[in-house]
């Protein structure tokens, strides 16, 4: 990953043209709340950011990041599912700690290198570059093979940074409006233990 994410140091938003504001989503809803599904989209982005923040905090726990590489999540407009070998109390503490850190300005928690956004970006870039080189380069086998190698290599180099950009501006948001409702035990599709972190929207004060 060319642009590594460290949630404990620095800030991906430093010197950025865009700075998240506590009231931004509440203001958007106040002005454009008549648009169907807008609140769900805004909440989904914030839930996605909190999901990442929770995984980061759990990764810093006594088990360590290496043992938590199997942690995964799935965001919905009402909360997120958390999959992995963790207990209920650890999840509750991690969610509360992540929310506290976000409100303290540690926004890097919203971006995670293992997010599905990065995988989608990589697939999109690879497909686009492969098609582009196929159409633009001569049709000889050597030229096409070289073009394929160049396309896949370029996509793999660019996708981490583009993936972070996509997370920052499109698929996640800082969870300024979220509050924890409850954490319910559930199971994944394979029957393994999981949790659903139910969240509620609150307008910024």
């Amino acid at each position: 990953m060319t642009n590594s994410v460290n949630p404990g140091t620095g800030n991906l938003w430093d010197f950025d043209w865009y700075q998240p504001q506590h009231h931004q989503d509440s203001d958007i809803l106040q002005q454009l709340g008549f648009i169907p599904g807008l609140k769900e989209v805004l909440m989904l982005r914030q839930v996605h950011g909190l999901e990442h923040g929770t995984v980061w905090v759990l990764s810093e726990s006594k088990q360590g990041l290496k043992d938590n590489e199997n942690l995964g999540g799935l965001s919905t407009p009402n909360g997120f599912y958390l999959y992995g070998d963790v207990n209920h109390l650890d999840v509750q503490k991690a969610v509360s700690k992540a929310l506290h850190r976000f409100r303290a300005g540690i926004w890097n928690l919203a971006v995670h290198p293992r997010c599905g956004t990065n995988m989608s970006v990589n697939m999109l870039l690879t497909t686009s570059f492969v098609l582009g080189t196929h159409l633009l380069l001569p049709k000889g086998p050597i030229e096409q093979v070289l073009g394929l190698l160049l396309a896949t290599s370029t996509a793999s180099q660019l996708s981490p940074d583009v993936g972070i950009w996509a997370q920052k501006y499109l698929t996640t948001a800082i969870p300024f409006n979220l509050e924890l409702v409850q954490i319910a035990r559930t199971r994944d599709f394979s029957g393994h233990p999981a949790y659903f972190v139910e969240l509620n929207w609150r307008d910024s004060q």
Side-chain angles (χ1 to χ4, degrees):
M1 187 167 188
T2 57
N3 192 351
S4 60
V5 180
N6 187 335
T9 60
N11 194 329
L12 292 172
W13 284 262
D14 284 345
F15 311 111
D16 204 347
W17 63 272
Y18 167 75
Q19 293 287 317
Q21 303 294 323
H22 286 76
H23 298 274
Q24 63 186 19
D25 284 352
S26 294
D27 292 343
I28 290 173
L29 272 184
Q30 186 175 6
Q31 298 171 15
L32 303 173
F34 59 88
I35 299 177
L38 177 61
K39 183 175 182 179
E40 287 75 14
V41 170
L42 294 175
M43 185 160 176
L44 179 60
R45 295 179 69 236
Q46 292 197 23
V47 170
H48 195 186
L50 181 57
E51 174 204 321
H52 288 171
T54 302
V55 171
W56 275 120
V57 173
L58 286 169
S59 298
E60 296 168 357
S61 69
K62 58 185 178 181
Q63 291 123 326
L65 177 61
K66 183 175 182 180
D67 293 331
N68 278 282
E69 287 180 350
N70 64 336
L71 283 175
L74 176 65
S75 294
T76 77
N78 300 313
F80 63 89
Y81 291 92
L82 186 68
Y83 310 107
D85 185 17
V86 290
N87 63 55
H88 187 277
L89 182 59
D90 286 339
V91 175
Q92 187 171 24
K93 288 181 178 178
V95 173
S96 299
K97 193 171 184 178
L99 282 171
H100 176 76
R101 289 188 181 183
F102 277 121
R103 288 159 189 164
I106 306 176
W107 299 337
N108 284 5
L109 292 171
V111 177
H112 201 284
R114 292 191 288 112
C115 177
T117 300
N118 289 23
M119 297 177 59
S120 299
V121 165
N122 185 36
M123 292 174 60
L124 178 62
L125 288 179
T126 301
T127 301
S128 301
F129 289 166
V130 167
L131 287 175
T133 55
H134 173 71
L135 294 173
L136 294 174
L137 292 178
K139 302 305 180 186
I142 295 178
E143 290 88 348
Q144 288 293 310
V145 170
L146 290 176
L148 177 63
L149 294 174
L150 177 62
T152 54
S153 175
T154 303
S156 66
Q157 291 294 316
L158 293 178
S159 60
D161 290 326
V162 178
I164 287 178
W165 182 92
Q167 288 186 61
K168 283 176 62 179
Y169 303 119
L170 298 176
T171 64
T172 71
I174 308 304
F176 293 130
N177 297 96
L178 299 185
E179 60 182 3
L180 178 62
V181 176
Q182 65 173 345
I183 299 173
R185 290 181 174 87
T186 183
R187 292 190 177 274
D188 63 17
F189 294 110
S190 302
H192 298 115
Y195 298 95
F196 181 69
V197 180
E198 184 180 355
L199 301 161
N200 195 21
W201 178 275
R202 66 172 187 180
D203 288 320
S204 299
Q205 301 299 319

